[in-house]
Amino acid sequence: MRGALLAILMLVCFLSAESTVSAMEQLKPKISKYRANSLFQQQEHVSNEMIVKFKKDTSDREKSEILQLYGVKELSHIEKGDFSLVIVPKGKNLQSAAAELIKNEQIEFAEPNYMIEKNYTPVDPSYGKQWYLGKIQATKAWDITKGASTITVSVIDGGVQTNHPDLAGKIVYPYNTVNNSNTYQPDVHGTHVAGIIAASMNKIGIAGIAPGVKIMPINVFSGEYAELYDIAEAIYYAADHGADVINLSLGVDSYSYVMESAAHYAQTKGVVLVAAAGNDDTNAYTYPAALPDVIGVSATDSSDRITDFSNYGEYIDFAAPGVNIYSTVSGSTYRLMSGTSMAAPVISGVSALVLSKNPFLTPAQVKEILRKSVVDLGSKGWDPFYGYGRIDAYKALQNTPAPVSNIVSSSSTFTVTGTSRTAFSFNAPSGTTISLYVQNSKGTTLRKVVSDKKWSGGKFSAVWDGKLDNGMFASTGTYRILAKVAAGGETVYKTMNIKVVDQVTPSVAFSSSSTIFSPAVQGKIVIPYILNKSAKVSAAIYDQAGKPVKTLYFNLSIAGGKRSVTWDGKNSSGKRVADGTYKLTITVTDSKKAKRSSHILIQVDSKAPTGTIATDSNIFKMNGTERNSLKIATKETVFMSAYVTTEQGIKVKKLLGEKSIKAGSYTLSWDGKNDRNEFAAEGNYQYLMELKDAAGNKTVLKSKTIALQDWRIPVIQSINSLNFKTKNELSIPYTLTKAGAVTVQIYKDSAVIKTLQENVPKSKGAQTVLWDGKDLNGNDVEDGTYQFNITVKDSYGLTYTYTGSILVNFTTVEIAYPSVVAFYQGEEIAAEVFFRLSNPANVSVKILDDSGTPIKTVLDNVPMQEGIQSFTWDGSDDDGYSVYQTSFKYVITAKSSTGKETIVSGNINNEEDPSWLTSHNMEFVPSDEDEYYNKQVIFHFDVAQPVKAYIYISEDPYSDYFDEKEISLKKGKNQFTYTKPDLNDLFYVIVYEDELGNEYAYSFWEAE
C-alpha cells in the first residue's frame, strides 16, 4: 500500500556558522497549515498518504464526516497526539487534497507522510576495533557504573537482532510499527546501533557503552525507507512503554509537525531523545535532530576531527566518535561502520550511564550534565561543528550527582528503653516518594517507619522508637535501615546498619480499659493484649472485692507480640460466676525478678434485656397514605431491630435495622409495604422486635396479630388506543392492581354497543377480554372510533373505571389504476390518469421524476367518491417550471375515513405499453389486379382484458381522417378486417381505451 519513494540519505540542514544564538531557540519553523504547496514539495513522501491533525474539540463523528466530505479514508490513528494517517483515492492529486482539507476550520494541520532513510556509511571491516571506548574514557566510567538494568534505551531503527550473542537477554517490548506486531526481520543498521549502546560484557564480541541497560527495539523500516507516521508512532510507543532514552539514527530535511509533537510528548514523559545529524556535509536542518526536544549529534574521527561527511549547524549539541565504529550486526556477527548514525548511540549510551547513576534526572538535567562533560574542540565553547564538544563518559558520571545521599543516624548504637528515640536523615530530590524500613539481617521488613511519602526535595528526617510492626520492641542485635526513593518508575535504595541494645522493661498493654461478657451467649471471652517483650506472665481473675476467682496461668514463658488470654466465665471450681464486675490482672516478671501488672475490667452480664410492644389498632386499613403504629419500651440501652412478619414468622419488612437506643419509649410505623417496596397482600401480620444488649444477650418480642385490609382504590391499566383492522377478534388487555368484579362495555358516543363482561370476578394481575367487532344484534360495526370502558369493584365496594378508544378500520380502499399513461410534453395536458376507488377516500397525487424525487403535488387530501375518478398534470413542477425529462412516475394515496392508507403508483412515458396489451400488428392483403395496391388491412389484437379500440384512417399524417371504426376487443386474440377505398398508402391511428377511460394511441403508415 505504501510506496517506497527514493529519499536522499539523511537530508539535513544548517544555520549560519556565524550565529551564536542557541540552535534550539530557532529550530521550529513557523509553518502555516495553509502552505500545502511548499510542504508537499520539500521532500519525497508516500504518493497517496498524508498526516492530518484535527482540533481538540472535534468529535469522532465530525472527523468521519469531514474525511468523507473530501473523499479521503483514515488508515490509522495515534491517540496521544490525535494524528490520523489518511489515504487519498488513486487519481486524486495529494497536494490538491491537502489544500482542500486544511481550509476546513476543524483541521489544525496536514502534512505529507515523508520517506526517511538510515544515517550510516558502511566501511571496510579491516580497520581497528572499538577505539572510541578509550576516546570517551568508558573504562573509567565503568568503575562507577556499567549501566542499570532498570534503564531502557529504545532504538527506533531497523529491526534489532534480539538473539544476537551480545544482545540476548536484554531486549524488552520489541515492536514493529510497519505492521503493528512484535516481529520483524533483523537489520544490520539497527543491530549495529543497539550494540554500540548496550552490547553485553560477556567475553563474546564487544562491549557496549552501557552494557547493563536494556534495549527496546522498534522497527520502522520497510527495506531502506521508513515513513514519518511510523516513526512518530514509534516515539509514542517507546515513551508509553518505559523508555528512558530514545535513539534516532535517521532523519529528513523537512520539518514535521507530527514528529515534533511526538518528540515533545516523549520529553514531557522524562525521555532523553538523541538523533543523528546526517551525513551530507551540509548546514541544512535535519529532523528530528533539529527539534527543540532532541539532542543533535555530529560525528568525529579518532583524531577528534569533524568527519568529512558529518552535517553541521546550529542544531548540533554534541559530537561523538562516528568513524570505523565496530559493533554488532544481524547474523550474529560484527562489522565496522561510519556515520552520524554511529555517533548518536554513543551519546545515547552515555545518557543511559548518567541515568543509571541518577534515574531521577530530567532530560534537561541530563543534557546539562553532558554539556559539562565534553572535550571542547573547534572554536571555544559551542560551535556549529562539535556543538558543546566531544562527549566524555567518565566526566559525565563524575558530574552526575548521586540521587540519594547516604543515611545519617543520630547514633550508631540505639539503646531501646520504651521511651527512647533515634533519628535518621538523608537527602532526596523533589518529586519523589520516600519509604524507610527497619529490616533484619535476612532483609525481612520488621517495621515500616515511613511508607510512600511524597517528597518536595531536600533533607528528609524520621525517628524510630524501637518498636516493630508486631508491637514488640526490637531485641538486642544489628538491624538494617533501608531507604527507598522512587519516581517515574525508577527506584534507588540506600542502606545503613545500626546496633540495637534492648533495655526495655517488659509490660502488657490492653486496647481498652474495660469490656463486657455474657457467658450464656459467648461461652468464653478472648481478651487481646500486647506484650512488649518476651517474659514470664501470670494471668488471674478477681472479683469486685479483690478476691481471686480463677488463675488462668502462672509464670508462663510467653514471647513478646500480640497475644490474648481466654476466660470461660467460671471460677476455679468450674461454676459460672454471678453477674457483676471482675478484673483481669496480667503480671509480667523480667529477668531481674522485677514485676509489673496491668488490669482490665470485665463486666459479666447474662441477663437478657426486657421491653414491651403494643399496636394502636389490630386492623390496618391500608390505603397508601395511612400508617399502622406500634410503641416499644425498653429499660436499658440496647441494640434494637424491628420487623413485620407473616403469621408463619417470615420477615416481609425491616422497620429498623440494628440500632442502639437508650432506655425509654419509641414509636415506629408501617405503611403496608414490604422490602421490595410493594404493598403487602391482605392477611394477618405481626411486629417482631429483637433486643440485644452490649454483652450479646437477646430478647425477642412479638405483637398481637394485625389484620391487613387493602383499602387502596383498585386501578386498571390498559392500552389507551387500540386499532381494530381485520374482522376477527380484538384482544383488549388490562391489568388489575387488586382483585374485583369486572364489567367491560363497548360504546359509540354515549350508547352501549356491546357488553363483553359483566361483574365477572377477576384476580389481581394481567387479564384479557375479546371483542368480535359486532354490536348487540350480532352485526359488524361500521368503521369509526369507539370507546371501551372497564370497571372494577373490589370487596370493599371501591370502584375504578378505565376508558380507552378503539379505531375500527375494517375497510381498505382499493384502487384500480393504469400501469402506464402517455406523456404529451409541451401540451396543456401533459398527462391524464383515470382510476377507480372502491370506497370514498381523501386522495393525494404526486408526480416523481426518473430519480424518484417528488416534483409536483397534483392533489392534496382531496375528498373523492367511490367510482372512476381522474386527474391531469400540466407538465410543470411545484415552482411552475416545465420539466424536460421524458419519464415520470405518479403516486396515488387514498386515505379512508379512519385513516387507513392505500398507495399505488404507475409510470408516465411514451416507451411502455399498457400492461394489458400483449401484442398488436397489421396484415395487408394485396389486390388481385395490382400487387402494389393493398385492398384490405387485417388488424390483429391480443389483450389481457376487454378494451375498446378506435381506428382512424386518413390519406397521410397531415390530413383529417375520412373514416373511423369502433371495435370492442375481448380478452385474448381479436381480428378486424378493414376493406380500403380506392386509395393507396393510407395512414392509420389506433386509440385504445381501457375500462377506466385511459387512452393509448398508436400510428401506422402504410407507405412506410
Side-chain angles (χ1 to χ4, degrees):
M1 177 184 66
R2 300 177 181 175
L5 298 180
L6 179 63
I8 299 174
L9 176 62
M10 193 56 187
L11 301 175
V12 289
C13 33
F14 166 70
L15 292 173
S16 171
E18 287 79 8
S19 174
T20 58
V21 180
S22 170
M24 308 317 277
E25 297 175 0
Q26 300 186 14
L27 292 182
K28 182 178 178 180
K30 299 186 182 301
I31 293 181
S32 165
K33 75 170 186 173
Y34 299 104
R35 292 178 55 201
N37 291 347
S38 60
L39 279 174
F40 284 80
Q41 293 173 0
Q42 291 180 22
Q43 170 72 22
E44 293 197 48
H45 50 268
V46 182
S47 61
N48 61 341
E49 292 180 9
M50 74 177 101
I51 300 168
V52 174
K53 179 173 175 58
F54 290 92
K55 288 186 178 178
K56 287 184 179 179
D57 59 350
T58 310
S59 67
D60 290 341
R61 180 178 178 181
E62 288 175 320
K63 292 177 185 177
S64 178
E65 290 175 350
I66 290 170
L67 294 178
Q68 187 175 5
L69 176 65
Y70 293 104
V72 297
K73 180 181 179 182
E74 185 179 70
L75 293 176
S76 183
H77 184 73
I78 300 176
E79 291 290 343
K80 289 294 187 300
D82 200 15
F83 293 102
S84 294
L85 179 63
V86 303
I87 186 170
V88 175
K90 290 183 178 179
K92 186 167 185 178
N93 182 270
L94 186 66
Q95 182 174 313
S96 300
E100 292 175 8
L101 268 174
I102 58 181
K103 290 178 183 177
N104 191 293
E105 290 300 319
Q106 294 301 106
I107 302 292
E108 188 172 317
F109 203 86
E111 67 181 2
N113 191 13
Y114 292 123
M115 303 295 293
I116 300 171
E117 286 189 319
K118 306 163 189 174
N119 291 325
Y120 75 101
T121 304
V123 299
D124 193 282
S126 62
Y127 290 91
K129 300 178 180 179
Q130 292 199 274
W131 59 270
Y132 56 92
L133 295 179
K135 180 67 70 174
I136 65 171
Q137 298 199 84
T139 54
K140 286 186 178 181
W142 292 337
D143 289 336
I144 300 173
T145 179
K146 293 181 179 64
S149 61
T150 55
I151 300 299
T152 299
V153 180
S154 178
V155 176
I156 297 178
D157 210 297
V160 175
Q161 182 187 343
T162 58
N163 63 349
H164 192 289
D166 262 327
L167 297 172
K170 58 173 65 251
I171 304 297
V172 295
Y173 299 116
Y175 194 62
N176 184 356
T177 60
V178 176
N179 59 16
N180 296 320
S181 71
N182 57 6
T183 60
Y184 50 74
Q185 280 294 113
D187 174 77
V188 169
H189 185 268
T191 307
H192 197 272
V193 169
I196 295 170
I197 297 168
S200 300
M201 283 186 176
N202 55 4
K203 298 181 182 181
I204 300 174
I206 65 166
I209 293 169
V213 304
K214 299 294 186 183
I215 292 292
M216 182 191 300
I218 305 178
N219 177 65
V220 294
F221 281 89
S222 179
E224 293 301 313
Y225 302 96
E227 294 179 14
L228 171 63
Y229 184 85
D230 290 333
I231 295 171
E233 185 180 3
I235 294 172
Y236 281 113
Y237 177 90
D240 287 342
H241 285 76
D244 300 286
V245 181
I246 292 176
N247 187 88
L248 296 150
S249 290
L250 42 79
V252 65
D253 69 350
S254 296
Y255 166 79
S256 165
Y257 183 66
V258 64
M259 190 179 292
E260 180 175 11
S261 296
H264 182 68
Y265 173 79
Q267 195 265 352
T268 59
K269 296 265 290 187
V271 182
V272 177
L273 293 100
V274 181
N279 306 326
D280 293 309
D281 188 25
T282 177
N283 63 354
Y285 284 167
T286 291
Y287 300 94
L291 293 174
D293 297 312
V294 180
I295 295 173
V297 184
S298 62
T300 57
D301 60 18
S302 59
S303 299
D304 272 345
R305 295 189 299 266
I306 195 75
T307 65
D308 58 1
F309 57 76
S310 180
N311 289 354
Y312 51 92
E314 285 199 1
Y315 64 92
I316 302 300
D317 294 295
F318 303 104
V323 176
N324 298 335
I325 305 300
Y326 192 68
S327 182
T328 52
V329 293
S330 55
S332 300
T333 59
Y334 305 85
R335 185 186 300 178
L336 287 165
M337 289 186 181
S338 296
T340 54
S341 274
M342 284 64 248
V346 173
I347 298 296
S348 295
V350 174
S351 299
L353 289 177
V354 169
L355 289 171
S356 294
K357 182 178 178 182
N358 188 343
F360 302 136
L361 295 172
T362 65
Q365 290 171 328
V366 171
K367 184 176 179 180
E368 181 60 20
I369 289 170
L370 297 180
R371 189 185 67 79
K372 296 176 181 179
S373 309
V374 295
V375 176
D376 192 1
L377 304 173
S379 302
K380 186 176 181 180
W382 181 90
D383 66 69
F385 295 98
Y386 302 94
Y388 294 108
R390 193 258 301 148
I391 195 63
D392 184 298
Y394 179 55
K395 286 184 180 181
L397 289 182
Q398 285 182 314
N399 290 325
T400 301
V404 180
S405 68
N406 291 328
I407 304 173
V408 177
S409 173
S410 57
S411 175
S412 60
T413 299
F414 178 27
T415 301
V416 179
T417 64
T419 58
S420 58
R421 302 285 189 275
T422 188
F424 305 99
S425 62
F426 56 88
N427 286 297
S430 63
T432 55
T433 300
I434 291 175
S435 300
L436 187 69
Y437 305 129
V438 179
Q439 298 182 328
N440 60 19
S441 58
K442 296 179 180 179
T444 304
T445 297
L446 304 176
R447 174 70 184 275
K448 295 178 180 177
V449 181
V450 176
S451 184
D452 295 330
K453 179 180 178 63
K454 293 183 178 179
W455 190 237
S456 58
K459 184 177 180 180
F460 170 80
S461 299
V463 296
W464 179 38
D465 59 4
K467 278 189 177 181
L468 307 180
D469 284 338
N470 62 5
M472 293 178 58
F473 285 97
S475 58
T476 299
T478 299
Y479 294 80
R480 181 169 70 175
I481 307 302
L482 173 69
K484 175 186 174 184
V485 182
E490 308 293 347
T491 304
V492 172
Y493 298 92
K494 287 289 183 178
T495 62
M496 68 161 289
N497 290 333
I498 186 170
K499 185 177 180 181
V500 172
V501 177
D502 178 11
Q503 292 189 2
V504 174
T505 300
S507 64
V508 167
F510 295 104
S511 59
S512 63
S513 60
S514 64
T515 186
I516 193 166
F517 169 45
S518 173
V521 175
Q522 298 161 272
K524 61 182 179 181
I525 184 172
V526 178
I527 301 173
Y529 64 91
I530 295 177
L531 180 62
N532 66 349
K533 64 182 300 183
S534 300
K536 297 283 188 180
V537 180
S538 299
I541 303 293
Y542 297 87
D543 64 14
Q544 204 163 4
K547 295 181 179 179
V549 174
K550 187 174 185 178
T551 297
L552 303 179
Y553 46 77
F554 179 74
N555 271 353
L556 186 66
S557 294
I558 297 178
K562 295 178 180 179
R563 300 290 177 257
S564 64
V565 60
T566 302
W567 179 39
D568 59 5
K570 296 178 180 179
N571 58 23
S572 56
S573 301
K575 295 181 179 180
R576 183 178 291 176
V577 300
D579 289 359
T581 303
Y582 295 83
K583 180 170 66 176
L584 166 65
T585 299
I586 297 181
T587 303
V588 294
T589 305
D590 64 13
S591 58
K592 297 178 181 179
K593 307 298 183 182
K595 295 186 177 182
R596 272 186 139 188
S597 297
S598 297
H599 315 282
I600 183 173
L601 297 179
I602 303 174
Q603 181 70 36
V604 175
D605 179 7
S606 58
K607 293 181 180 178
T610 59
T612 60
I613 179 172
T615 60
D616 60 354
S617 174
N618 292 335
I619 296 177
F620 179 16
K621 294 182 177 181
M622 176 183 67
N623 62 8
T625 58
E626 293 293 323
R627 304 179 75 91
N628 187 256
S629 299
L630 63 153
K631 292 181 180 179
I632 308 106
T634 178
K635 296 181 180 180
E636 61 180 291
T637 298
V638 294
F639 291 94
M640 182 173 72
S641 302
Y643 302 91
V644 178
T645 72
T646 63
E647 283 187 302
Q648 293 75 29
I650 299 172
K651 294 175 180 177
V652 297
K653 176 71 174 182
K654 181 188 287 187
L655 299 178
L656 181 68
E658 189 172 86
K659 182 179 180 180
S660 176
I661 62 170
K662 296 180 180 179
S665 297
Y666 298 89
T667 300
L668 295 176
S669 64
W670 180 36
D671 60 2
K673 291 183 178 180
N674 58 27
D675 282 330
R676 296 191 300 275
N677 203 34
E678 300 169 345
F679 285 101
E682 289 187 319
N684 293 328
Y685 294 86
Q686 284 182 300
Y687 295 116
L688 181 145
M689 302 294 125
E690 295 177 351
L691 307 179
K692 184 173 71 173
D693 63 17
N697 301 298
K698 292 183 180 180
T699 297
V700 176
L701 303 175
K702 291 184 179 181
S703 71
K704 294 180 179 179
T705 299
I706 302 163
L708 177 67
Q709 297 177 352
D710 189 352
W711 281 75
R712 290 176 298 142
I713 295 175
V715 176
I716 301 171
Q717 295 173 330
S718 185
I719 299 174
N720 185 52
S721 179
L722 296 170
N723 204 336
F724 200 175
K725 293 184 179 181
T726 58
K727 294 181 179 180
N728 210 333
E729 284 189 319
L730 175 67
S731 175
I732 305 174
Y734 63 95
T735 301
L736 300 176
T737 59
K738 60 188 299 189
V742 175
T743 298
V744 182
Q745 292 178 309
I746 305 297
Y747 284 79
K748 179 64 175 176
D749 299 326
S750 59
V752 176
I753 299 300
K754 191 168 187 178
T755 299
L756 305 181
Q757 290 180 349
E758 187 169 10
N759 290 327
V760 178
K762 295 289 182 180
S763 61
K764 172 184 175 181
Q767 304 291 342
T768 300
V769 63
L770 299 176
W771 180 34
D772 59 5
K774 299 182 183 298
D775 59 17
L776 291 169
N777 299 319
N779 300 318
D780 290 338
V781 298
E782 296 179 352
D783 286 0
T785 301
Y786 296 78
Q787 294 77 42
F788 66 92
N789 283 3
I790 306 174
T791 301
V792 60
K793 179 188 288 187
D794 70 5
S795 58
Y796 304 108
L798 301 171
T799 63
Y800 182 88
T801 298
Y802 180 92
T803 299
S805 66
I806 300 174
L807 178 62
V808 176
N809 198 4
F810 292 158
T811 304
T812 298
V813 179
E814 295 180 355
I815 305 173
Y817 65 98
S819 62
V820 64
V821 295
F823 178 54
Y824 304 102
Q825 192 167 30
E827 298 293 330
E828 184 176 348
I829 298 178
E832 184 175 23
V833 179
F834 290 87
F835 59 95
R836 184 170 55 237
L837 300 176
S838 64
N839 299 90
N842 283 10
V843 176
S844 298
V845 175
K846 289 184 181 294
I847 306 298
L848 284 61
D849 64 16
D850 56 6
S851 66
T853 303
I855 59 172
K856 178 80 170 185
T857 299
V858 177
L859 299 176
D860 187 12
N861 213 33
V862 176
M864 289 187 175
Q865 295 301 315
E866 63 182 84
I868 294 178
Q869 304 289 345
S870 68
F871 68 87
T872 60
W873 174 43
D874 62 2
S876 67
D877 60 17
D878 280 328
D879 296 322
Y881 294 104
S882 296
V883 294
Y884 295 99
Q885 298 176 5
T886 58
S887 179
F888 302 89
K889 185 182 291 291
Y890 70 86
V891 177
I892 303 173
T893 302
K895 186 183 295 184
S896 71
S897 60
T898 56
K900 183 182 288 188
E901 289 186 347
T902 301
I903 301 174
V904 298
S905 65
N907 297 329
I908 303 174
N909 60 56
N910 296 323
E911 286 77 39
E912 295 181 66
D913 292 329
S915 60
W916 45 262
L917 181 56
T918 305
S919 67
H920 60 178
N921 57 69
M922 299 169 64
E923 179 185 352
F924 296 98
V925 180
S927 169
D928 294 334
E929 294 80 15
D930 185 355
E931 62 178 327
Y932 298 105
Y933 170 75
N934 298 319
K935 65 178 180 180
Q936 288 181 325
V937 182
I938 303 174
F939 295 87
H940 297 279
F941 306 95
D942 190 354
V943 293
Q945 67 182 39
V947 296
K948 285 186 177 182
Y950 300 90
I951 303 174
Y952 300 91
I953 304 102
S954 61
E955 292 188 31
D956 56 57
Y958 315 104
S959 302
D960 293 335
Y961 62 88
F962 61 80
D963 197 3
E964 65 176 295
K965 301 294 181 182
E966 179 180 339
I967 309 165
S968 294
L969 301 179
K970 299 178 181 179
K971 179 180 179 181
K973 293 182 179 181
N974 297 262
Q975 181 175 307
F976 172 74
T977 301
Y978 175 67
T979 302
K980 294 174 55 180
D982 191 17
L983 294 171
N984 202 15
D985 297 336
L986 298 180
F987 184 73
Y988 305 89
V989 174
I990 303 175
V991 177
Y992 297 101
E993 182 181 298
D994 65 15
E995 60 182 358
L996 299 174
N998 297 288
E999 294 184 347
Y1000 305 87
Y1002 297 86
S1003 63
F1004 301 90
W1005 198 358
E1006 193 175 346
E1008 292 182 343

